[in-house]
Amino acid sequence: MTARSPRASSPKPRLPGVLLAGFEPFGGETSNPSWDAVRALHGERIASHRVATCCLPCEFGTSLVALRQAIAELQPALVLCVGQAGGRAQLSLERVAINIDDARIADNAGARPIDEPIAADGPAAYFSDLPIKAMLADLRAAGIPAEVSQTAGTYVCNHVFYGLMHALHRSGVRGGFIHVPFSPAQAAYHPGAASLPIDTVSAGLRIALRSALTHATDLRIAAGAEH
Amino acid sequence: MTARSPRASSPKPRLPGVLLAGFEPFGGETSNPSWDAVRALHGERIASHRVATCCLPCEFGTSLVALRQAIAELQPALVLCVGQAGGRAQLSLERVAINIDDARIADNAGARPIDEPIAADGPAAYFSDLPIKAMLADLRAAGIPAEVSQTAGTYVCNHVFYGLMHALHRSGVRGGFIHVPFSPAQAAYHPGAASLPIDTVSAGLRIALRSALTHATDLRIAAGAEH
Amino acid sequence: MTARSPRASSPKPRLPGVLLAGFEPFGGETSNPSWDAVRALHGERIASHRVATCCLPCEFGTSLVALRQAIAELQPALVLCVGQAGGRAQLSLERVAINIDDARIADNAGARPIDEPIAADGPAAYFSDLPIKAMLADLRAAGIPAEVSQTAGTYVCNHVFYGLMHALHRSGVRGGFIHVPFSPAQAAYHPGAASLPIDTVSAGLRIALRSALTHATDLRIAAGAEH
Amino acid sequence: MTARSPRASSPKPRLPGVLLAGFEPFGGETSNPSWDAVRALHGERIASHRVATCCLPCEFGTSLVALRQAIAELQPALVLCVGQAGGRAQLSLERVAINIDDARIADNAGARPIDEPIAADGPAAYFSDLPIKAMLADLRAAGIPAEVSQTAGTYVCNHVFYGLMHALHRSGVRGGFIHVPFSPAQAAYHPGAASLPIDTVSAGLRIALRSALTHATDLRIAAGAEH
């Protein structure tokens, strides 16, 4: 991210910013498709906003420190975090973040919290601020496989999603989270696993951001689950 | 449920009650394994509590009216609601209920709410009051396949789970929700679908109730999900 | 199995036999639901046949030696082998056995053949002799979840199925294979895995045997797969 | 395909041909990723062979008539048929074709054969002539998700695969079959379904063909299934 202070003599007003965050590799992988797809959009102009990107550590705690710092620096109008969901087949527009860490595997710093709140004084959950149904419709119309997800898990991704929403609460800045599948190169070593190429995911994130930035209210489309 | 007023001359003190609720069939099924498994436990004594049962309509709104009425009549110490999760393979101990209705299919009264809050003034979510990790350990030790679930969906089951937790909030009465698979008879007409026999599910619910009634605090066992 | 030679003075003629074979545990399991379900039927009379059972080692080669010996001793009218398919949710009526061993994991004797024929002079495959569509219909009608499977894999189960059909070829004795899910006790330690109780599987095998013994020709019911 | 007769004056000798066949849409889809991926390779030179392509009808019977005619015209050294496997996530290198049609859904001409042989006088199955393990290794090394499949189903794809192998039997021409996932545009309307972009599939087919053309014998790599 560049310095925030616009020069007084600047002929062009700076565009409002969008912060797009991906993650470093975890769980034995050597790459993380979230960051690979996110960084391709750095500097792009989408719906009169400029995209800045950052890569978060896959660690409870420090991931949120890094995210809050990036938000403080950029002062974005919207923050979209993106994480890897190995095994899922489509872009997952997350509906809700819950106030719990429950780690089946250790994070990159070796931490493995079990049933600990992310914010001791926070509510049980936050819903995404983003118009996930409109984003879903726009992605499908563009031929990008997408779905609404009712859980972001209980690992670092949910940790960051919840911490983001807690930080943004009543700030006027909107936040949300999207999970993405393995890349094909990863799936080549996970028998039977689904995948989407990085450029397909980047194209999907571009559409999702445009949709989020241009829809003031969401659409009424069913995308729920019986269980 | 029987009348609440104990006779003055009663030689035996009434046991505190547990309310166990199942659901009527929905989604084209002619039976619902949740109710079939629940009703088998009616009247049983578990950990010094007496089990009462009720069958809820698979309808947004009226399901909660019926549940609240049953709670008011029985004044139970604990309420466990049980619903069908066709396609899941194990008893699902639900961790969290979220404040949203989003119906992919119509309920039994024809209603199909989309992205409407269950309680306009309620928080985004409630966590289960039950010791789901202890219940998980006890079920596995007994050879009953069980898992912790991070989402109860956005249909009538989640609606009832959220409404239950909202009604019980700060009452001192504990509440929770368990999803159960199809019965074998149902799965026989759903190619490839998982199932568990009704008596296996009933045995599991008995263990789960005992576990919930005898654990004041939960165990620290990881049962989270990366996404 | 008992001695084959009926006594001359025997007042009751011996019933023709059915050989039902299960397997010992493999792959780190301490039980095998195929044998647990099979042995419960030992000695039963089904459709005027007497069921004899045997437990096969989970080993390439010796499994077939044991099976052929059991067939030679019993001289059955029909042979049904039953194996564990951990992860499948229903009784799988196998359609076809293929002439190849390709072991992802070692067998119980440490062997791990790759792309070796089971019978060097045998055909590429044998279809089951059993009326799998009639068996499917009877199982479903009885509320037992069942499906036709187009592959028995390439491990010891397919090895035994192929070797059985090769041994029975042109003998007038019919043969077939059914895969069964994990037991609930196994699934309790395989997160998310499907299961069926042993007695449900035994009941299913009884129905399947009766169906196989009483249908001279199969039904015309679609049970194929697009891929 | 072009005329077969090389002109006497032709200065450049014609390359030996490879026939690559895809399918027209079926099952309610408006496109078929097999044909879309195949046609992109038309005319390419791979390992000193020239690729010719054809699109087969999704019909029992006529699909094989069209394939045999294309083979007669081109006189290829190798034939690879490619079909859609909606729901699968990776390129599926098919190991075996079985001599049965069993259609769950009608083909594009309305036919729905049940348990009918493809060749009345044919063997129960044919194994692929192609070095599927070498192809698997080459695809994975190139970052293309691939797997060996033990069943090509019982629908038109298996019908064509079996008919191809039956036609090529003892001809010296090698044949095989690969199933491919939905395209992203298709998966966008199949909730949760896996997909791979057409150009990823085309790249995979190019690698698979080169591998098949350059490996005289296959590698010894396990790629089997327990069931």
Side-chain angles (χ1 to χ4, degrees):
Chain A
M1 273 151 291
T2 55
R4 280 164 294 153
S5 46
R7 296 184 199 163
S9 62
S10 175
K12 286 193 260 176
R14 249 191 33 167
L15 292 173
V18 166
L19 179 59
L20 193 58
F23 282 91
E24 65 180 11
F26 71 98
E29 301 294 321
T30 55
S31 64
N32 188 317
S34 69
W35 173 236
D36 291 340
V38 157
R39 68 176 165 186
L41 273 64
H42 185 78
E44 280 198 22
R45 177 177 172 155
I46 298 178
S48 301
H49 290 68
R50 185 73 62 194
V51 176
T53 58
C54 67
C55 182
L56 304 175
C58 187
E59 298 174 10
F60 293 98
T62 51
S63 52
L64 275 176
V65 172
L67 180 63
R68 282 190 298 254
Q69 187 178 335
I71 293 171
E73 285 177 16
L74 186 71
Q75 300 287 337
L78 186 149
V79 183
L80 177 62
C81 294
V82 184
Q84 168 193 300
R88 291 198 194 168
Q90 308 202 342
L91 268 66
S92 283
L93 311 174
E94 296 295 348
R95 187 195 288 270
V96 65
I98 61 174
N99 190 10
I100 200 106
D101 290 334
D102 189 2
R104 204 181 53 85
I105 57 173
D107 73 7
N108 284 0
R112 204 181 150 188
I114 296 179
D115 292 348
E116 294 175 12
I118 298 162
D121 60 337
Y126 287 104
F127 285 108
S128 173
D129 288 326
L130 306 185
I132 54 176
K133 304 298 182 70
M135 293 158 78
L136 179 68
D138 287 346
L139 284 162
R140 286 182 172 166
I144 309 274
E147 63 197 346
V148 166
S149 163
Q150 327 298 340
T151 173
T154 61
Y155 195 58
V156 180
C157 285
N158 175 74
H159 178 88
V160 161
F161 183 15
Y162 182 91
L164 168 69
M165 302 312 294
H166 195 55
L168 296 185
H169 190 50
R170 294 186 181 157
S171 70
V173 180
R174 292 187 295 156
F177 199 100
I178 294 181
H179 264 119
V180 302
F182 278 142
S183 71
Q186 290 178 291
Y189 292 93
H190 289 275
S195 61
L196 281 177
I198 299 300
D199 59 356
T200 304
V201 175
S202 291
L205 294 177
R206 192 177 291 118
I207 291 162
L209 277 179
R210 179 172 299 117
S211 190
L213 290 165
T214 54
H215 283 83
T217 57
D218 205 355
L219 303 182
R220 253 179 75 87
I221 304 169
E226 282 80 79
H227 58 80
Chain B
M1 276 153 291
T2 54
R4 282 162 294 152
S5 45
R7 295 183 200 164
S9 61
S10 175
K12 286 193 261 178
R14 246 188 37 165
L15 291 173
V18 165
L19 179 60
L20 193 58
F23 283 91
E24 66 179 10
F26 71 97
E29 301 294 320
T30 55
S31 64
N32 188 317
S34 69
W35 173 236
D36 291 339
V38 156
R39 68 177 164 186
L41 273 64
H42 185 78
E44 280 198 22
R45 178 178 170 154
I46 297 177
S48 301
H49 289 69
R50 185 72 63 195
V51 176
T53 58
C54 68
C55 183
L56 304 175
C58 188
E59 297 175 11
F60 292 98
T62 51
S63 52
L64 275 176
V65 172
L67 180 63
R68 283 191 297 255
Q69 185 179 336
I71 292 170
E73 284 176 17
L74 186 71
Q75 300 286 338
L78 185 149
V79 183
L80 178 61
C81 295
V82 184
Q84 167 193 300
R88 291 197 194 168
Q90 309 201 342
L91 266 66
S92 285
L93 311 174
E94 296 295 347
R95 187 196 288 270
V96 64
I98 61 175
N99 189 10
I100 200 105
D101 291 334
D102 188 3
R104 204 181 53 86
I105 56 173
D107 73 7
N108 284 359
R112 206 183 149 187
I114 296 180
D115 293 347
E116 294 176 12
I118 298 162
D121 61 338
Y126 286 103
F127 285 107
S128 172
D129 288 326
L130 306 185
I132 54 176
K133 304 298 182 71
M135 294 157 77
L136 179 68
D138 287 347
L139 285 162
R140 286 182 173 166
I144 309 273
E147 63 196 347
V148 166
S149 163
Q150 326 299 341
T151 173
T154 60
Y155 195 59
V156 179
C157 284
N158 174 75
H159 178 87
V160 162
F161 184 15
Y162 183 92
L164 168 68
M165 302 312 293
H166 196 55
L168 297 185
H169 191 50
R170 294 186 181 160
S171 71
V173 180
R174 292 189 294 157
F177 199 99
I178 294 181
H179 264 118
V180 302
F182 278 142
S183 71
Q186 289 177 292
Y189 293 94
H190 290 274
S195 61
L196 282 177
I198 299 300
D199 58 356
T200 304
V201 175
S202 291
L205 294 178
R206 192 177 291 118
I207 290 163
L209 276 179
R210 179 172 299 116
S211 190
L213 289 165
T214 54
H215 283 83
T217 57
D218 205 354
L219 303 182
R220 253 180 75 88
I221 304 168
E226 282 80 78
H227 57 79
Chain C
M1 275 153 291
T2 55
R4 281 164 294 152
S5 47
R7 295 184 200 164
S9 62
S10 174
K12 284 193 262 176
R14 249 188 34 166
L15 291 173
V18 166
L19 179 60
L20 193 58
F23 283 91
E24 65 179 11
F26 71 98
E29 301 294 320
T30 55
S31 64
N32 188 316
S34 69
W35 172 236
D36 291 340
V38 156
R39 67 176 165 189
L41 274 64
H42 185 79
E44 279 198 23
R45 178 178 173 154
I46 298 177
S48 302
H49 289 68
R50 186 72 62 194
V51 176
T53 58
C54 67
C55 183
L56 304 175
C58 187
E59 298 174 11
F60 292 98
T62 51
S63 52
L64 275 176
V65 173
L67 180 62
R68 283 190 297 254
Q69 187 179 336
I71 293 170
E73 285 176 17
L74 185 71
Q75 301 286 339
L78 185 149
V79 183
L80 177 61
C81 295
V82 184
Q84 167 193 299
R88 291 196 193 169
Q90 308 202 341
L91 267 65
S92 283
L93 311 174
E94 296 295 348
R95 187 196 288 268
V96 65
I98 62 174
N99 189 11
I100 200 105
D101 290 335
D102 188 1
R104 205 180 52 85
I105 57 173
D107 73 7
N108 284 0
R112 203 181 151 190
I114 296 180
D115 292 349
E116 295 176 11
I118 298 161
D121 61 337
Y126 286 104
F127 286 107
S128 173
D129 287 327
L130 306 185
I132 53 176
K133 304 299 182 69
M135 295 158 77
L136 179 69
D138 287 346
L139 284 163
R140 286 181 173 167
I144 310 275
E147 63 197 346
V148 166
S149 162
Q150 326 299 340
T151 173
T154 61
Y155 195 58
V156 181
C157 284
N158 175 73
H159 179 88
V160 162
F161 183 16
Y162 183 91
L164 168 69
M165 302 312 293
H166 195 56
L168 297 184
H169 190 51
R170 294 186 181 158
S171 70
V173 181
R174 292 188 295 156
F177 199 99
I178 294 181
H179 264 119
V180 302
F182 279 141
S183 71
Q186 290 178 290
Y189 293 93
H190 289 275
S195 61
L196 281 176
I198 299 300
D199 60 355
T200 303
V201 175
S202 291
L205 294 178
R206 192 178 290 118
I207 290 163
L209 276 179
R210 179 172 299 116
S211 190
L213 289 165
T214 54
H215 283 83
T217 57
D218 204 355
L219 302 182
R220 254 180 74 90
I221 304 168
E226 281 80 79
H227 56 80
Chain D
M1 276 153 292
T2 54
R4 280 163 296 150
S5 45
R7 295 183 199 166
S9 60
S10 174
K12 286 193 259 179
R14 250 190 32 169
L15 291 172
V18 165
L19 179 60
L20 193 58
F23 283 91
E24 65 179 10
F26 71 97
E29 301 295 320
T30 55
S31 64
N32 188 317
S34 69
W35 173 236
D36 291 340
V38 157
R39 69 176 165 187
L41 273 65
H42 186 78
E44 279 198 22
R45 178 178 172 154
I46 298 178
S48 301
H49 289 69
R50 185 72 62 195
V51 177
T53 58
C54 68
C55 183
L56 303 175
C58 188
E59 297 175 11
F60 293 98
T62 51
S63 52
L64 275 176
V65 172
L67 179 63
R68 283 191 296 255
Q69 187 178 337
I71 292 170
E73 285 176 17
L74 185 71
Q75 300 287 338
L78 186 149
V79 183
L80 177 60
C81 296
V82 183
Q84 167 193 299
R88 291 198 193 167
Q90 309 202 342
L91 266 66
S92 285
L93 310 174
E94 295 295 347
R95 187 195 288 269
V96 64
I98 62 175
N99 189 10
I100 200 105
D101 290 334
D102 188 2
R104 204 181 53 87
I105 57 173
D107 73 7
N108 283 0
R112 204 182 151 190
I114 296 179
D115 293 347
E116 294 175 14
I118 298 162
D121 60 337
Y126 286 103
F127 286 108
S128 173
D129 288 325
L130 306 185
I132 54 176
K133 303 299 182 69
M135 293 157 78
L136 180 68
D138 287 346
L139 285 163
R140 286 182 174 166
I144 309 274
E147 64 197 345
V148 166
S149 163
Q150 326 300 340
T151 173
T154 61
Y155 195 59
V156 180
C157 284
N158 175 75
H159 179 88
V160 162
F161 183 16
Y162 182 92
L164 168 68
M165 302 312 293
H166 195 56
L168 296 185
H169 190 51
R170 295 185 180 159
S171 70
V173 180
R174 293 188 293 157
F177 198 100
I178 294 182
H179 264 119
V180 301
F182 279 142
S183 70
Q186 289 178 291
Y189 293 93
H190 290 274
S195 61
L196 281 176
I198 298 301
D199 58 356
T200 303
V201 175
S202 291
L205 294 178
R206 192 178 289 119
I207 290 163
L209 276 179
R210 179 172 298 117
S211 190
L213 289 166
T214 55
H215 283 83
T217 58
D218 205 355
L219 304 181
R220 253 180 74 88
I221 304 168
E226 282 80 79
H227 56 81

